[in-house]
Amino acid sequence: MSEDVPNDGEIRLVTAVVRPDRLGDVKRALAEVGAPSLTVTNVSGRGSQPAKKGQWRGEEYTVDLHQKVKIECVVADIPAETVADAIADAARTGEPGDGKVFIMPVDDAVQVRTGKTGRDAV
Amino acid sequence: MSEDVPNDGEIRLVTAVVRPDRLGDVKRALAEVGAPSLTVTNVSGRGSQPAKKGQWRGEEYTVDLHQKVKIECVVADIPAETVADAIADAARTGEPGDGKVFIMPVDDAVQVRTGKTGRDAV
Amino acid sequence: MSEDVPNDGEIRLVTAVVRPDRLGDVKRALAEVGAPSLTVTNVSGRGSQPAKKGQWRGEEYTVDLHQKVKIECVVADIPAETVADAIADAARTGEPGDGKVFIMPVDDAVQVRTGKTGRDAV
Ligand SMILES: Nc1ncnc2c1ncn2[C@@H]1O[C@H](COP(=O)(O)OP(=O)(O)OP(=O)(O)O)[C@@H](O)[C@H]1O
Ligand SMILES: Nc1ncnc2c1ncn2[C@@H]1O[C@H](COP(=O)(O)OP(=O)(O)OP(=O)(O)O)[C@@H](O)[C@H]1O
Ligand SMILES: Nc1ncnc2c1ncn2[C@@H]1O[C@H](COP(=O)(O)OP(=O)(O)OP(=O)(O)O)[C@@H](O)[C@H]1O
Ligand SMILES: [Mg+2]
Ligand SMILES: [Mg+2]
Ligand SMILES: [Mg+2]
C-alpha cells in the first residue's frame, strides 16, 4: 500500500486523543493512507477550557473529565505527519474538545509472531 | 498562565502512574502550575516489591497487580520537570506503591479543531 | 538482580501489545530477566490483516478490533532489547495477532515515594 510514499527513514508513534464517535471515521482514514494498524484505549481527559458546570437533582456539579478514545499508530513507511493529518481531518468537528495528536520517536520494534525487528516489524 | 515561566523550547510528555485516590490532588496541582490539560487511563501494575499475599475463604492468593491511574500531560510552555515535581508532590503518601513519573520527548503536536501544529498546539 | 547485566546508560520504555491470555507468561518472563515492574492497560486493536468476518443471527458483521493487553516497562539497568525479546518470546503463539513490541526513549524518571530521579527512580 505504501510503495509510492516517501520513506522518512524513521519509526514514529502517532498518538491521538479524539471524541469516541469519531473513531470509525479515523479508522477509515488510516486505512486510506495505508496505515491500518492501530491500538485503541478508552480514556478521559480535559483540555484547556474550564470545567463544564451542570445540575443534578438541584446540586451543581462539575464535569471535569470527558470520555475520549486514544488511538496509537506506529508507522515506518508512511510519514507520521501524513498519519497525523489524516487523523485530525477525520476527527475534526470544529467544536472545542476535538482533541490532539502527538508524534513521538520510536527506537525499535519487534513483530512478536515473526521476531522481525526494525521498520519491517511495524 | 505560563507567561513568566522559562521556556525550554521543547515539547515533552509527562506520564505518571499513581494511586487512584490521588487523582483529584494531582489535577489541582497541574492546574496550579499552569498545565491543566491531561489524559487519564485506568491501569494496573506492579513495582519492585514482591507480590502481596492475602487470604480468601481459607485459600492463599496473590495480589500481583494493583489498580492505578495513568495521567499524561503534554507540555510546551511549562518545563516538564516542574510538571513532574508537581505531580509527584501531589501523589506522595510516603508508602510503597506511590508510583512513578516518566518524561519523554515529543516531536510534534496537532490541535485537531484548529489544525495548529507545534508548541501552539499543545 | 541486574548486577551482571551490561548497562546501556539510558532509560527506555518498552511497550508491548499482546494477547490477553499471554499476560501471565509475560509477567513471569519479565521477572526472570530482572525487570518485574510493569503497567498493564486493556486495549483493543488491529494489525495489518483485513478485518475478520463473522455471522450473528444471520447477519454478517465485522470483528475489526481485537481485545489485547498493553504492557509497559520502563527499564534502566536491563537493556531494552533484552526486555523486548523476553516479552516477545513469552507472548508468541505463531499465529497472526501475536502483537508488537516498541522501544522508546525516556528522558527522565521520578520515584514518587522517595523523590529520586534518573536511573535510580526506574
Ligand atoms: N496537553 C495535553 N496533554 C495531554 N492530553 C491532552 C492535552 N490536550 C488535550 N489533551 C487530551 O485531548 C482531549 C481533548 O482536548 P481538547 O480538544 O479539549 O484540547 P484543547 O486544547 O482544549 O482544544 P479546544 O480548544 O479545541 O477544545 C482532552 O480531553 C485530553 O484527553
Ligand atoms: N519501571 C516501571 N515501568 C512501568 N511501570 C512502572 C514501573 N515502576 C512502577 N510502575 C508503575 O507504577 C506503579 C507503582 O509503582 P511503585 O510505586 O510500587 O514503584 P516502586 O519502584 O516499587 O516504588 P515503591 O518502593 O515506592 O513502592 C506500579 O503499579 C506500575 O503500574
Ligand atoms: N503499527 C502498529 N501501531 C499500533 N499498534 C499496533 C501496530 N501493529 C500492531 N499493533 C497492535 O498489536 C495488535 C496485534 O497486532 P498483530 O500481531 O495482528 O500485528 P500484525 O502486523 O498484523 O502481525 P501478524 O501478521 O503476526 O498478525 C493489534 O491489535 C494492535 O493493537
Ligand atoms: Mg478543549
Ligand atoms: Mg512498589
Ligand atoms: Mg495481524
Side-chain angles (χ1 to χ4, degrees):
Chain A
M1 266 188 278
S2 60
E3 284 91 15
D4 53 359
V5 174
N7 181 324
D8 66 358
E10 296 191 24
I11 306 175
R12 301 277 188 90
L13 167 63
V14 181
T15 299
V17 181
V18 303
R19 299 182 193 279
D21 60 13
R22 307 310 299 163
L23 178 60
D25 283 357
V26 170
K27 287 191 294 185
R28 258 186 298 279
L30 287 169
E32 277 165 20
V33 296
S37 301
L38 82 177
T39 297
V40 176
T41 312
N42 293 313
V43 299
S44 61
R46 69 180 184 201
S48 45
Q49 280 85 15
K52 243 192 244 171
K53 292 237 154 56
Q55 289 272 343
W56 189 74
R57 297 193 174 183
E59 301 271 341
E60 197 176 71
Y61 68 94
T62 305
V63 182
D64 82 330
L65 295 183
H66 300 264
Q67 297 300 312
K68 302 284 169 185
V69 293
K70 185 201 277 191
I71 296 161
E72 293 170 297
C73 311
V74 177
V75 292
D77 294 319
I78 315 289
E81 289 73 16
T82 302
V83 170
D85 288 345
I87 295 175
D89 290 345
R92 188 172 296 122
T93 69
E95 297 298 315
D98 275 354
K100 298 284 172 90
V101 189
F102 302 112
I103 299 177
M104 299 177 65
V106 175
D107 290 337
D108 204 355
V110 184
Q111 186 182 37
V112 172
R113 177 174 58 85
T114 59
K116 276 186 201 167
T117 59
R119 305 170 56 81
D120 292 342
V122 170
Chain B
M1 265 190 277
S2 60
E3 285 90 17
D4 53 0
V5 174
N7 180 326
D8 65 1
E10 297 192 21
I11 307 175
R12 301 277 188 90
L13 167 63
V14 181
T15 298
V17 181
V18 304
R19 298 181 194 279
D21 61 12
R22 307 310 298 162
L23 178 59
D25 283 358
V26 170
K27 287 191 294 185
R28 258 186 298 279
L30 286 169
E32 276 164 21
V33 296
S37 301
L38 83 177
T39 297
V40 177
T41 313
N42 292 314
V43 300
S44 61
R46 69 180 184 201
S48 46
Q49 280 84 15
K52 242 192 246 171
K53 292 238 153 58
Q55 289 270 343
W56 191 74
R57 297 193 174 183
E59 301 271 341
E60 197 176 71
Y61 69 94
T62 304
V63 182
D64 83 330
L65 294 184
H66 301 264
Q67 297 301 311
K68 301 284 170 184
V69 293
K70 184 201 280 191
I71 296 160
E72 293 170 296
C73 311
V74 177
V75 292
D77 295 319
I78 315 290
E81 289 72 18
T82 303
V83 171
D85 288 346
I87 295 174
D89 290 346
R92 187 173 297 122
T93 69
E95 297 299 314
D98 275 354
K100 298 284 172 90
V101 188
F102 302 112
I103 299 177
M104 300 176 64
V106 175
D107 290 337
D108 204 355
V110 184
Q111 187 182 36
V112 171
R113 177 174 57 86
T114 59
K116 275 186 200 167
T117 60
R119 305 169 58 80
D120 293 342
V122 170
Chain C
M1 266 191 277
S2 60
E3 285 91 16
D4 52 0
V5 174
N7 181 324
D8 65 359
E10 297 192 23
I11 307 176
R12 302 277 188 90
L13 167 63
V14 181
T15 299
V17 181
V18 304
R19 299 180 194 280
D21 61 11
R22 306 311 298 163
L23 179 58
D25 283 358
V26 169
K27 287 191 295 186
R28 258 186 298 279
L30 287 168
E32 277 166 19
V33 296
S37 301
L38 82 177
T39 297
V40 177
T41 312
N42 292 314
V43 299
S44 61
R46 68 179 186 202
S48 45
Q49 281 84 16
K52 242 192 245 172
K53 292 237 155 54
Q55 289 271 342
W56 190 73
R57 296 193 174 183
E59 301 271 340
E60 198 176 70
Y61 70 94
T62 305
V63 183
D64 83 328
L65 294 184
H66 301 264
Q67 296 301 310
K68 302 284 169 183
V69 293
K70 185 201 277 192
I71 297 160
E72 293 170 295
C73 311
V74 177
V75 292
D77 295 319
I78 315 290
E81 289 73 17
T82 302
V83 171
D85 288 346
I87 295 174
D89 289 347
R92 187 172 298 123
T93 69
E95 298 298 314
D98 275 353
K100 298 284 172 91
V101 188
F102 303 112
I103 299 176
M104 299 176 65
V106 175
D107 289 337
D108 204 355
V110 184
Q111 186 182 36
V112 171
R113 177 174 58 85
T114 60
K116 276 187 200 166
T117 59
R119 305 169 56 81
D120 292 343
V122 171

